[in-house]
Amino acid sequence: PRFRPSSCRLSSYDRKVKTMADKLIITAALTGAITIPTQSDKLPYTSEQLVADAVACVKAGAAAVHIHARNPETGQPSSDPDLFAPILAGIRASGVDMIVGTTTGGGMGMLPTERLRVVPRYKPEVASFNLGSMNFSIHPVARRFKPEDYRFGWEQAYAEGTKDFIFRNTFGDMETFAKTMAEHNTKPEFEAYDVGHLYNLRFLLKEKLVQPPFWIQFVLGVLGGLAATPEDLIVMKQTADRLFGAENYRWSVIGVGYPMEFNMAGMAAMMGGHVRVGLEDNIFVGRRQLATNAQLVEKAVRIAREFDRELATPEEARAMLGLKGSAAVNF
Ligand code: KMH
Ligand code: ZN
């Protein structure tokens, strides 16, 4: 008989390719604790700037924002819960719906107990959960600037100091983070910088400290972790599939730096994953072209469209990730 493609039933492979095209969740990481103000005058650090960027990113297509606080006078990263208050309240007052995830990773010099304080205080829908201790350095950035180039007095020592920074997330810390997030119904966004971090998550699962389905962020390109390459992303994805089963987690990817942020966005768009962009991770939208957060989101949206991935709204993303909803937070 003649081969008639129209009568051909979808093979399970074809079905899988179609169904892995989840709506795509874009998270905007607005400021972080790694980028220093001298690198980009577009880096927001006051609450007004952070709220304006959050709203602009959501209007551009992001469903979620990832929030760090900084000292509004100096731009220095801080884990002081009081500094989160005007940012979270400002986002609320904007009336623009979005998933607000807070960091519990903080930055150099912050203790795990200090970093975790935002969870009981604000009970966010999502909070970052870093899956292991590691070197985490931006000291090569300091080589790009002369002492007189820095905008603020703290920046040079901060950037250079990361050479000896150990990002602490021991099993004891992780146990505390897991229990605290469970207590406040805050969904952990598991930050995995290396393959071993996925095995740490597997251990937490075996100990019944965490519950699938998981929301995992593959963080690629940090000095101290895996690189933002297709090979490394695929290693992470295959390892997670093997340890948890593809149906038991959703993943997003961060590519640190340019063009890695967008290379990884393209990979995620193709592979059924989700995307994080923002000035926390990368400051450029094109070669040597400094970007606003919204411009980074706009580029991620263009990539998603090219790969025929529809964007998830905040409400759709909540349903996909099993979040408690913005009425249940404490801000
Ligand atoms: N700064 C990023 C590379 C966190 O905030 O807990 C990872 C991050 C971690 O966003
Ligand atoms: Zn962060």
Side-chain angles (χ1 to χ4, degrees):
R2 258 185 73 227
F3 175 69
R4 285 185 300 138
S6 58
S7 68
C8 216
R9 291 195 52 219
L10 280 178
S11 69
S12 65
Y13 171 76
D14 291 331
R15 258 198 302 277
K16 183 159 175 255
V17 168
K18 280 190 185 298
T19 55
M20 78 184 180
D22 243 1
K23 287 197 179 180
L24 188 145
I25 301 168
I26 296 178
T27 300
L30 305 176
T31 190
I34 295 301
T35 312
I36 56 175
T38 293
Q39 286 177 274
S40 172
D41 59 0
K42 302 187 190 322
L43 183 76
Y45 56 84
T46 67
S47 60
E48 292 82 5
Q49 290 166 345
L50 286 159
V51 172
D53 273 23
V55 168
C57 286
V58 172
K59 291 194 168 156
V65 292
H66 168 79
I67 300 291
H68 287 242
R70 292 182 184 245
N71 178 315
E73 309 293 327
T74 65
Q76 184 160 13
S78 170
S79 64
D80 181 352
D82 289 342
L83 289 180
F84 283 76
I87 306 166
L88 301 177
I91 288 175
R92 213 20 162 197
S94 75
V96 176
D97 186 33
M98 65 188 82
I99 296 168
V100 180
T102 55
T103 182
T104 68
M108 189 174 73
M110 303 172 197
L111 292 171
T113 45
E114 295 169 345
R115 291 159 21 198
L116 186 57
R117 289 176 295 178
V118 287
V119 171
R121 171 108 164 238
Y122 298 111
K123 309 183 195 311
E125 288 187 83
V126 174
S128 65
F129 185 123
N130 290 276
L131 283 170
S133 300
M134 62 189 287
N135 292 334
F136 194 130
S137 189
I138 55 159
H139 71 276
V141 167
R143 293 192 202 128
R144 292 185 215 153
F145 301 107
K146 295 194 276 301
E148 61 273 22
D149 292 338
Y150 288 100
R151 277 171 64 193
F152 296 104
W154 59 271
E155 292 179 279
Q156 185 177 3
Y158 189 83
E160 288 174 353
T162 59
K163 194 174 195 173
D164 287 309
F165 172 50
I166 299 170
F167 185 29
R168 179 184 150 168
N169 299 286
T170 64
F171 281 104
D173 297 330
M174 290 192 279
E175 186 171 321
T176 307
F177 278 48
K179 287 179 176 162
T180 306
M181 290 192 199
E183 188 184 334
H184 299 288
N185 200 8
T186 293
K187 177 95 176 172
E189 176 187 295
F190 292 109
E191 316 287 328
Y193 304 73
D194 214 326
V195 180
H197 292 167
L198 297 172
Y199 286 83
N200 293 351
L201 179 56
R202 170 93 194 155
F203 175 79
L204 299 177
L205 173 65
K206 279 201 293 205
E207 295 286 296
K208 298 193 169 47
L209 286 163
V210 295
Q211 293 280 340
F214 298 137
W215 176 225
I216 303 179
Q217 188 77 253
F218 299 136
V219 188
L220 302 180
V222 169
L223 181 56
L226 290 191
T229 61
E231 291 82 356
D232 287 324
L233 175 58
I234 286 167
V235 165
M236 292 296 271
K237 163 86 166 55
Q238 285 179 337
T239 307
D241 284 354
R242 193 160 44 76
L243 295 181
F244 312 119
E247 64 287 5
N248 290 319
Y249 76 102
R250 280 190 165 85
W251 62 276
S252 171
V253 64
I254 297 170
V256 175
Y258 181 87
M260 290 72 87
E261 177 161 275
F262 298 109
N263 294 347
M264 292 300 105
M267 293 285 294
M270 277 189 271
M271 293 165 64
H274 304 273
V275 174
R276 172 170 127 173
V277 293
L279 291 169
E280 174 163 352
D281 309 320
N282 161 52
I283 57 176
F284 298 113
V285 69
R287 245 180 191 289
R288 293 193 203 94
Q289 255 180 280
L290 288 174
T292 62
N293 275 306
Q295 287 168 330
L296 299 174
V297 171
E298 284 162 10
K299 183 158 175 166
V301 169
R302 291 197 294 276
I303 290 170
R305 294 235 164 89
E306 288 298 326
F307 287 100
D308 252 328
R309 291 285 300 275
E310 279 181 67
L311 299 179
T313 64
E315 219 29 50
E316 288 167 341
R318 284 188 182 101
M320 289 158 67
L321 301 178
L323 306 184
K324 62 186 174 182
S326 59
V329 301
N330 191 31
F331 58 85

